[in-house]
Amino acid sequence: MRLETIAATPVRTLRCTPTPAYALALPRPSARNHRMLDRVAILALLLACTSQAVAQRRIDPGDAPSLRDNEGLVAVVFDTNYPVISAKFRKVGKTIAAPPLRLAANGRTMELYAAPEGEYEWERILIPQGKGRAFYDLADDPDYRFKVRAGRINYAGDLEFRPTAVRRAAIRLVNRSLPVLDWLRANHRVVFDAMEFEYSGEFPDPFPAFHTKALIASKDPATDLNAGLVPPEPTALPIKSADMWALPRVRDATLSPDGAMVVMELRASKGHAALELIDMARGSSHLLATAQYGFGTLMWKDDRTLVAGVATGKGEQLRIIRIGEATGDKRTIDAFEGPVGGRIVDILPDSPGSILYEAVDPDGVLVVHELGIRNALEAGSFRKQQTRNRLNRGVENDIAWYTDGSGRLRAALARRGQNIVLMHGSAGKFHQVMRFNDGQGFEPLRMSADGELIYGLDDTGRGQRDLVVFDPARKEVTRTLFSKPGVDVSSPFFSDRGEPIGVSYYVDGRRVSEYFAASETRVAELIARSLPGRTAVPYFRSRDGKRMLLWVDSSDRPPQLYFFDTKQNEAQLLDDYLPDLARRRFTAAQVIKVPGALSTSIDSFLTLPAGEGRRPMVVLPHGGPIGVADRLHFDREVQFIASMGYAVLQVNFRGSEGYGRAFRESGQGQFGTGIEDDIDAAIKAVIAAHPVDPGRMCILGTSYGGYSALVSAIRWPDRFRCAVSISGVTDRLLLFTASDSAISKNGRDGLIRWMGDPRSNEATLRAASPLYQVDKLRTPVMIVHGRQDVRVDFEHARRLVRMLNIDGRTPVVQAFPDEGHGIADDKAQALAWNGIAGFLQQHLGVQETQ
């Protein structure tokens, strides 16, 4: 689930510090008077330390602890995928920590402690590093604090530890109370039955009490409360899911600045990747390089020098590839390696032998240097350059840099507490010109050639997102370059020197490219005539703008890579993105305008396969829900469902991207209510005007779409024969305590702005959560979820599966151990959609297809 206001919120990272060699030593007697140490003071100190340690004591499984009046129990959970020596917590203001957890080598450690009531904090995580040790200091950070109340079992969430780089880790508290409840019941039954369990985070979690009440009231729960049914095997699939979700052949492509050569990254055998050079004049091709894990960066330094990033376990490694002149059909290829783990800041067009390169040093400091790439010795010298000699000076806690047309550092994004600010200047002297608010306002994209202006997108005080010019000297937007009432700019086009030449936006689901110069407009018209009925997205342009690479697709045709030459007025097919699907026939989508509750009509897209009589229909709400939209590009999910003979309905409900700021913001507070009203209106309009069967419908979605599927099945219990939730929200309150969206204060404020505050609106959020309306969820449900999901934690799926099992209605479940938010791996996608196909057929029937 992605909320527009919090989409960019990163998982919080901390840096670790090497542990010094030190020993606790008592002071020496004074040499002057040889006075004895005050033994009474030492004894008092030792007694105080002992009392602190005793007060926070571990409770072993089966023990029945005797608690003082001011004591409670604490369920402490530590979750790691990396070896950890120790993890400790302590009472705030105290020096002695509780006994350290007895950590498992990998995975979750759960332990129960008795502790006096009060405020506690995680103190330190100690890890091995090389031949020594290092630690992450969490003390005095309010995000790692929790309260202990007397007379109950307190749980503050799992402390999750995930290293992300050398000396860096993502550390967060995540509310996964259901496994803790099960563990307590199995290992500490006496205290579990006698004491109330309470989540002690900043926001309430009513689920433990809700779950306990349901267990007590249940008459015939399933034997295994975590069980899920295996989806039925599909029959007679016109397209196998493995074919539909096969890896693409073309991973990436780039065009040389002179437009003479194309380099494509292609999928090779055994999952490897290959860089293939195509000489457009000669029609010959050459193998440039291969890589086991693929390539990332593909940038041209000049007409014959390509800088590629080879994927490694430590980040990208630069590979510089020099392409010699052709002798017949052959060319000499010279390649050498560069540094690992950084990225190119600027190609430095005016410096023939170097680029601007950045990386993070072992202490977590961002370092930018001019890197020579004439030979392997120069290219490998980055790590030897001193941090103190870096070019990026004058900005603390910088995270990204912008350059002018000459490659000089002129602007930076930097962290100020939990905020991001924009700095501008030159030669190491920078000043703050803007502080960003969450997801709204000005979005910087490129600098002008002289570095005095910044081009970007902005909707502040506007009816839509426009292309504008920001003047750092005046700290304000001074000019609008493009604006179309009620239409958000999707992306601008820039020349090779960084000047804006046009924009793209969407109308009726189709991408439109509009240019500022008449000559550019004529080129766009030539392309449209060469590829009628299809959407052509410019991907790379030659220096003179005469040649370009285009990604071309439509709702019923998979993407293809084309080379377009304006002199020849010819579009030449280079390769298919999905060659296994290129010769298949698919169904085109049609646009349906539905009157909405707002003045703006609702765009809907209906994909209706050919066939006799009324077709079953699958409603497919998109994710987001704010700032996301369905488009008339090729959609594998849509076409897979349609190939089975089912109509597919997509709805750009209120909150969707592309229709202006008012429409986008109208989704605020409408999760589960107004948004689903828009979907309802579209369903009714389609049933009234198109041959779909209102008695045979299912609803299916991912992320917010999964939530919408469950909510819609509750709101209209007789409408749908089945509902499928992929990575879907089941408990809206849980988003505040188990999501990367809620890690920072800004993220939590964004959630409150769009959904309401759980501390004051708990009843409203519960009423719109499928989990707490499970008695009304009578539609057969299939749940698909990745166990590594940090946006919509797997706890959402776990809780709904539990409640359905308590009610004796075991759902169909697919849980993927290595997948995150949404299903990304091609094999996992094929497995998931094979199961979804069987589930849909079970409830909608097997259709004849043409």
Side-chain angles (χ1 to χ4, degrees):
M1 179 174 182
R2 184 181 74 84
L3 296 180
E4 179 193 62
T5 55
I6 55 177
T9 303
V11 173
R12 183 163 184 196
T13 59
L14 293 179
R15 293 199 297 268
C16 70
T17 305
T19 303
Y22 65 90
L24 179 63
L26 296 176
R28 288 187 174 185
S30 168
R32 178 174 298 177
N33 54 25
H34 301 279
R35 286 184 299 178
M36 298 293 292
L37 291 173
D38 188 342
R39 296 183 179 181
V40 176
I42 294 176
L43 180 60
L45 175 63
L46 292 175
L47 287 173
C49 293
T50 303
S51 65
Q52 288 185 42
V54 170
Q56 297 155 197
R57 58 195 186 279
R58 183 185 292 111
I59 308 300
D60 289 325
D63 287 355
S66 176
L67 298 179
R68 302 180 182 92
D69 290 341
N70 72 329
E71 286 187 323
L73 295 177
V74 190
V76 180
V77 186
F78 188 82
D79 184 349
T80 179
N81 63 351
Y82 183 85
V84 172
I85 297 171
S86 68
K88 299 179 180 180
F89 71 95
R90 68 184 181 189
K91 196 170 186 179
V92 173
K94 302 297 183 180
T95 57
I96 303 299
L101 278 70
R102 296 171 293 200
L103 296 174
N106 200 343
R108 302 176 84 204
T109 297
M110 300 187 192
E111 292 200 321
L112 188 66
Y113 289 81
E117 64 182 354
E119 189 173 21
Y120 287 77
E121 64 185 357
W122 283 97
E123 177 195 19
R124 178 172 291 186
I125 299 172
L126 188 65
I127 65 170
Q129 187 175 83
K131 296 181 179 180
R133 298 179 175 185
F135 65 87
Y136 290 84
D137 189 2
L138 311 183
D140 301 323
D141 189 327
D143 285 341
Y144 302 107
R145 289 186 175 182
F146 57 93
K147 288 182 171 59
V148 172
R149 294 177 63 187
R152 66 198 64 216
I153 303 173
N154 301 269
Y155 166 67
D158 296 15
L159 187 67
E160 185 181 79
F161 177 74
R162 298 287 187 268
T164 56
V166 176
R167 298 188 186 178
R168 285 196 167 195
I171 306 173
R172 61 183 187 133
L173 280 168
V174 190
N175 178 12
R176 296 175 181 139
S177 65
L178 184 52
V180 180
L181 290 170
D182 290 345
W183 174 77
L184 287 168
R185 185 180 295 107
N187 295 275
H188 298 276
R189 188 60 182 260
V190 174
V191 295
F192 180 76
D193 288 343
M195 301 177 69
E196 179 183 350
F197 179 95
E198 180 180 86
Y199 173 70
S200 59
E202 178 183 0
F203 297 97
D205 181 13
F207 174 73
F210 179 73
H211 171 257
T212 300
K213 182 179 179 180
L215 273 178
I216 294 172
S218 177
K219 296 179 181 179
D220 188 24
T223 303
D224 182 358
L225 295 180
N226 297 319
L229 300 175
V230 176
E233 278 296 318
T235 60
L237 288 180
I239 303 177
K240 294 180 180 179
S241 60
D243 293 336
M244 182 62 82
W245 275 274
L247 289 172
R249 170 173 163 78
V250 182
R251 295 183 173 189
D252 200 358
T254 185
L255 179 68
S256 64
D258 62 0
M261 297 181 179
V262 174
V263 171
M264 297 191 296
E265 181 186 355
L266 304 176
R267 177 169 51 88
S269 61
K270 298 181 180 180
H272 292 192
L275 289 184
E276 181 177 313
L277 171 70
I278 301 175
D279 187 323
M280 298 308 301
R282 291 177 170 80
S284 58
S285 63
H286 307 267
L287 178 66
L288 292 182
T290 60
Q292 182 176 357
Y293 302 111
F295 297 86
T297 302
L298 290 178
M299 298 180 70
W300 291 90
K301 169 59 183 172
D302 53 48
D303 292 342
R304 296 297 178 268
T305 305
L306 180 72
V307 183
V310 181
T312 73
K314 298 181 179 180
E316 288 187 5
Q317 178 169 35
L318 282 191
R319 180 176 296 177
I320 293 85
I321 303 173
R322 298 192 181 281
I323 303 166
E325 293 301 322
T327 303
D329 289 336
K330 297 183 178 180
R331 288 181 181 272
T332 56
I333 306 297
D334 180 30
F336 50 88
E337 309 294 346
V340 180
R343 74 174 190 90
I344 298 173
V345 178
D346 196 282
I347 207 68
L348 297 182
D350 300 329
S351 301
S354 59
I355 61 174
L356 211 58
Y357 188 78
E358 72 174 18
V360 176
D361 73 5
D363 293 323
V365 177
L366 188 69
V367 176
V368 180
H369 284 297
E370 185 169 339
L371 179 68
I373 57 170
R374 295 179 182 85
N375 52 58
L377 183 62
E378 282 188 347
S381 67
F382 183 80
R383 290 297 179 190
K384 297 178 182 179
Q385 300 186 57
Q386 297 296 317
T387 299
R388 63 176 179 269
N389 296 328
R390 68 187 190 276
L391 299 177
N392 55 320
R393 292 186 165 278
V395 177
E396 294 183 358
N397 299 317
D398 49 327
I399 57 177
W401 285 85
Y402 297 85
T403 55
D404 61 18
S406 299
R408 295 176 298 173
L409 298 176
R410 297 300 310 276
L413 297 179
R415 294 192 186 279
R416 293 292 180 268
Q418 293 195 3
N419 296 306
I420 302 295
V421 299
L422 178 65
M423 310 290 290
H424 181 264
S426 63
K429 297 181 179 180
F430 292 84
H431 60 281
Q432 181 177 320
V433 297
M434 179 179 292
R435 187 177 72 176
F436 295 99
N437 55 0
D438 301 316
Q440 296 179 341
F442 180 71
E443 177 188 351
L445 297 175
R446 297 284 294 269
M447 303 208 71
S448 61
D450 61 8
E452 298 302 319
L453 301 172
I454 302 175
Y455 303 118
L457 302 177
D458 191 23
D459 64 358
T460 306
R462 300 166 181 262
Q464 59 285 314
R465 187 176 297 113
D466 298 334
L467 178 61
V468 301
V469 178
F470 178 80
D471 185 343
R474 296 172 58 178
K475 299 183 180 181
E476 63 182 7
V477 171
T478 56
R479 190 155 47 104
T480 299
L481 297 180
F482 182 87
S483 179
K484 189 176 182 66
V487 175
D488 296 317
V489 172
S490 176
S491 60
F493 302 127
F494 292 94
S495 70
D496 66 311
R497 300 298 286 189
E499 298 300 328
I501 59 174
V503 298
S504 70
Y505 51 86
Y506 282 87
V507 175
D508 295 339
R510 292 183 173 85
R511 179 163 169 153
V512 177
S513 297
E514 187 167 334
Y515 294 90
F516 304 151
S519 59
E520 299 285 357
T521 300
R522 286 193 293 271
V523 171
E525 292 171 347
L526 287 176
I527 293 172
R529 286 197 294 269
S530 299
L531 300 161
R534 304 175 69 186
T535 298
V537 179
Y539 194 52
F540 277 101
R541 295 162 49 100
S542 61
R543 189 183 298 110
D544 60 7
K546 302 297 184 182
R547 296 177 175 184
M548 59 190 70
L549 291 182
L550 308 171
W551 278 113
V552 180
D553 79 337
S554 61
S555 64
D556 60 339
R557 297 186 67 176
Q560 295 175 306
L561 183 66
Y562 276 83
F563 175 80
F564 187 79
D565 189 331
T566 59
K567 295 180 180 179
Q568 303 297 324
N569 190 20
E570 179 183 56
Q572 180 180 344
L573 176 63
L574 295 178
D575 213 331
D576 290 292
Y577 181 73
L578 299 167
D580 293 339
L581 302 181
R583 285 164 292 282
R584 292 183 178 271
R585 294 181 61 184
F586 295 98
T587 305
Q590 54 186 299
V591 182
I592 298 172
K593 297 284 185 177
V594 180
L598 306 170
S599 58
T600 305
S601 62
I602 303 296
D603 275 356
S604 299
F605 310 122
L606 178 64
T607 304
L608 186 65
E612 297 295 329
R614 291 184 172 271
R615 314 300 283 173
M617 186 166 74
V618 175
V619 181
L620 193 66
H622 66 67
I626 309 300
V628 178
D630 285 316
R631 312 294 195 191
L632 291 182
H633 292 292
F634 186 81
D635 189 314
R636 289 198 254 191
E637 294 181 4
V638 170
Q639 293 300 333
F640 181 69
I641 296 170
S643 73
M644 298 168 61
Y646 307 139
V648 183
L649 176 63
Q650 301 165 277
V651 184
N652 278 343
F653 42 72
R654 69 189 74 180
S656 296
E657 172 71 12
Y659 302 92
R661 181 173 178 172
F663 189 82
R664 207 180 321 122
E665 293 184 347
S666 67
Q668 179 175 336
Q670 298 299 305
F671 300 2
T673 53
I675 287 175
E676 281 60 42
D677 290 341
D678 292 343
I679 297 172
D680 172 54
I683 291 172
K684 291 176 178 176
V686 168
I687 291 173
H690 299 274
V692 299
D693 186 348
R696 289 189 295 164
M697 292 194 298
C698 285
I699 184 166
L700 180 160
T702 299
S703 193
Y704 181 88
Y707 164 80
S708 182
L710 297 171
V711 167
S712 297
I714 292 169
R715 289 188 59 184
W716 293 277
D718 299 324
R719 171 176 283 174
F720 301 107
R721 289 192 176 185
C722 67
V724 181
S725 172
I726 306 172
S727 305
V729 173
T730 68
D731 182 351
R732 288 176 61 181
L733 292 138
L734 185 61
L735 281 174
F736 290 84
T737 59
S739 172
D740 62 345
S741 301
I743 290 174
S744 68
K745 183 181 183 302
N746 287 341
R748 294 188 289 272
D749 289 345
L751 284 171
I752 290 171
R753 183 165 58 251
W754 290 99
M755 294 199 300
D757 192 333
R759 294 164 296 195
S760 57
N761 296 296
E762 180 181 328
T764 301
L765 290 170
R766 282 187 63 160
S769 295
L771 181 72
Y772 299 106
Q773 311 300 320
V774 70
D775 58 321
K776 301 176 184 177
L777 184 57
R778 313 310 297 183
T779 303
V781 170
M782 179 176 179
I783 299 169
V784 182
H785 216 114
R787 291 184 178 272
Q788 305 305 317
D789 194 338
V790 297
R791 178 60 47 86
V792 179
D793 198 88
F794 186 72
E795 180 78 359
H796 284 267
R798 187 185 287 122
R799 290 183 175 190
L800 184 59
V801 170
R802 171 62 57 86
M803 297 310 299
L804 288 169
N805 274 313
I806 289 176
D807 199 42
R809 295 179 288 127
T810 301
V812 173
V813 178
Q814 285 185 313
F816 292 89
D818 300 319
E819 292 298 307
H821 190 56
I823 310 302
D825 177 77
D826 58 302
K827 292 182 176 61
Q829 283 183 318
L831 181 60
W833 280 95
N834 190 71
I836 292 169
F839 187 70
L840 292 176
Q841 286 182 341
Q842 182 182 47
H843 297 283
L844 296 179
V846 178
Q847 301 299 302
E848 293 184 3
T849 57
Q850 298 182 354

